[in-house]
Amino acid sequence: MPSSRPEPALLRVLAGESLDPPPVWLMRQAGRYLPEYRALRAKSGSFLEFCYNPGAAAEATLQPITRFGLDAAILFSDILVVADGLGAKVEFREGEGPVLEPLTPESLGRLKIARMQKYLEPVYEAVQRVRAALDPARALIGFAGAPWTVACYLAEGMGSRDFAAAKAWMWGKPESFEALIELLTLATIEHLSRQLEAGADCVQLFDSWAGVLPSEEFRGFVVAPTREIVRGVKQRHPNARIIGFPRGAGAMLEAYAHETGVDAVGLDYAVPLEKGRALQKRLAVQGNLDPVLLQVGGAAMQGRIRAIRAAFSGKPHIFNLGHGVLPATPPEHVAALVAAVRADP
Ligand code: CP3
């Protein structure tokens, strides 16, 4: 990093500073709620072709920055590119979301990290392009899905309510499930490191399904792999900063925040503000506005933005949602959110 580069606010907070106003970005800030995204998407082929087109992915990444002036861009990609790169068969169906050919203990051997390293080159090229085009005072966030969440999609073949296939594998064939988690852990270290090498300033791990595990398995398949990923990435990139988002962690949130080594923890919208405040003694927090409140907008949203800012001020805080922007969100509500976060309290 050239020394003349102003340090982005997001990185200052990840290093332990408290900023007022806090830096603001939103999970899933690029996407269908933006007309310019829908226009680009319409001419970009399948969703995965779009993700593997460096020019299109870079453009989609920058769209919400151009429109709203957010403090950070998050690479336009998906958590399932790692599964696709490893050799699982992944497809995104219109209106259905991801569909995979379910992986089994018998087919696990087909997944290869060497394949992923080549296959995901266009993703790293997109990172380079974004970094070259993005205002140096704004941060670029790389990301990956955490092993448990990616394992859920691989085992189920799609989203699920009860995760019965993933859990049946976890409890029925524990050795092979541990091998799957270990493979995904190594693949994730590689994928995050490559994004950092290509110019990402920090990375986020999305563990969207962390909340469906009993506490013992949460320790084994959420906390332990996350700790290994943090250690592996920091071994290759000692200055790397990592945000962890264990959605739905509930009573296990403190264990995650304190035992994984992440620099910041994402709070879903169920986390009470005083619980987030307590975590700020040891690390930065990010979140936790309900994305439906962003969709609703108005006085209810304004009131909650003030409450979140007040609860987390004076300690390291990154303003964000408690989950991703919903497709029906009016873009003007995002502009109003950014203005409210930056307004005098
Ligand atoms: O945040 C951003 O703006 C960056 C891009 C990003 C996408 N997906 C683009 C996307 C990120 C960070 C993700 C993460 C992701 N993907 C997660 C973790 C976060 C979470 O929501 O819990 C998960 C579980 C996935 C898997 C996934 N991808 C699902 C379940 C779906 C279908 C549901 C949906 O929202 O459409 C996707 C598709 C997807 N990923 C879209 C986008 C913009 C929509 C596809 C389209 O435009 O046709």
Side-chain angles (χ1 to χ4, degrees):
M1 195 191 297
S3 57
S4 59
R5 184 181 170 198
E7 194 175 23
L10 179 76
L11 298 183
R12 290 171 58 190
V13 171
L14 289 175
E17 266 187 76
S18 313
L19 296 182
D20 193 18
V24 52
W25 71 279
L26 304 176
M27 292 187 278
R28 303 290 290 269
Q29 64 192 21
R32 285 167 298 190
Y33 76 105
L34 289 177
E36 60 270 34
Y37 171 85
R38 293 195 299 269
L40 181 61
R41 173 83 178 80
K43 56 179 193 193
S44 300
S46 75
F47 179 69
L48 281 174
E49 282 166 349
F50 184 10
C51 290
Y52 298 142
N53 176 335
E59 191 178 335
T61 305
L62 293 165
Q63 283 175 341
I65 311 307
T66 305
R67 192 192 260 258
F68 305 116
L70 296 150
D71 290 288
I74 180 162
L75 175 70
F76 184 82
S77 185
D78 197 84
I79 63 165
L80 294 177
V81 300
V82 165
D84 193 49
L86 287 169
K89 294 196 171 64
V90 182
E91 219 188 301
F92 283 82
R93 292 196 192 142
E94 226 41 68
E96 247 186 275
V99 181
L100 296 80
E101 184 185 306
L103 189 75
T104 61
E106 292 69 41
S107 57
L108 173 58
R110 284 192 215 149
L111 303 192
K112 301 274 186 255
I113 289 182
R115 182 181 187 279
M116 182 195 81
Q117 288 169 317
K118 270 204 153 50
Y119 206 82
L120 297 188
E121 292 285 357
V123 175
Y124 312 127
E125 193 188 325
V127 174
Q128 284 178 333
R129 288 190 191 210
V130 176
R131 192 56 277 177
L134 182 65
D135 169 5
R138 299 182 206 276
L140 172 57
I141 306 166
F143 72 93
W148 163 250
T149 289
V150 176
C152 282
Y153 282 101
L154 284 167
E156 304 286 337
M158 58 179 75
S160 170
R161 289 175 76 89
D162 54 16
F163 299 91
K167 289 180 173 181
W169 189 348
M170 175 175 81
W171 281 312
K173 295 252 169 75
E175 280 175 21
S176 126
F177 191 74
E178 276 161 30
L180 168 61
I181 293 291
E182 183 59 20
L183 175 82
L184 292 173
T185 297
L186 297 175
T188 305
I189 292 170
E190 172 69 14
H191 187 50
L192 293 176
S193 298
R194 293 288 300 277
Q195 292 175 71
L196 289 162
E197 283 149 31
D201 297 300
C202 60
V203 291
Q204 174 157 324
L205 261 183
F206 286 88
D207 219 339
S208 304
W209 302 119
V212 306
L213 284 171
S215 59
E216 188 181 327
E217 286 74 18
F218 185 97
R219 287 187 185 282
F221 297 120
V222 172
V223 174
T226 301
R227 191 191 307 121
E228 201 177 323
I229 290 165
V230 170
R231 197 195 301 123
V233 169
K234 291 197 179 199
Q235 213 161 42
R236 277 168 71 167
H237 298 280
N239 298 321
R241 301 285 179 194
I242 303 171
I243 305 167
F245 178 44
R247 188 164 74 91
M252 299 305 287
L253 184 61
E254 284 82 3
Y256 183 97
H258 296 153
E259 294 170 21
T260 56
V262 294
D263 299 284
V265 65
L267 310 177
D268 61 58
Y269 51 81
V271 177
L273 294 176
E274 55 283 7
K275 198 164 159 180
R277 180 78 191 173
L279 292 172
Q280 286 178 300
K281 290 194 187 108
R282 309 249 304 250
L283 77 175
V285 298
Q286 171 179 286
N288 71 340
L289 187 80
D290 190 327
V292 176
L293 207 36
L294 174 61
Q295 186 174 314
V296 171
M301 174 179 90
Q302 296 286 343
R304 190 62 61 85
I305 291 171
R306 280 193 298 276
I308 291 172
R309 278 191 64 187
F312 296 148
S313 77
K315 296 273 186 203
H317 172 217
I318 301 156
F319 200 96
N320 206 317
L321 303 176
H323 199 193
V325 178
L326 296 164
T329 303
E332 314 78 70
H333 292 188
V334 175
L337 177 150
V338 173
V341 172
R342 291 182 180 156
D344 292 331

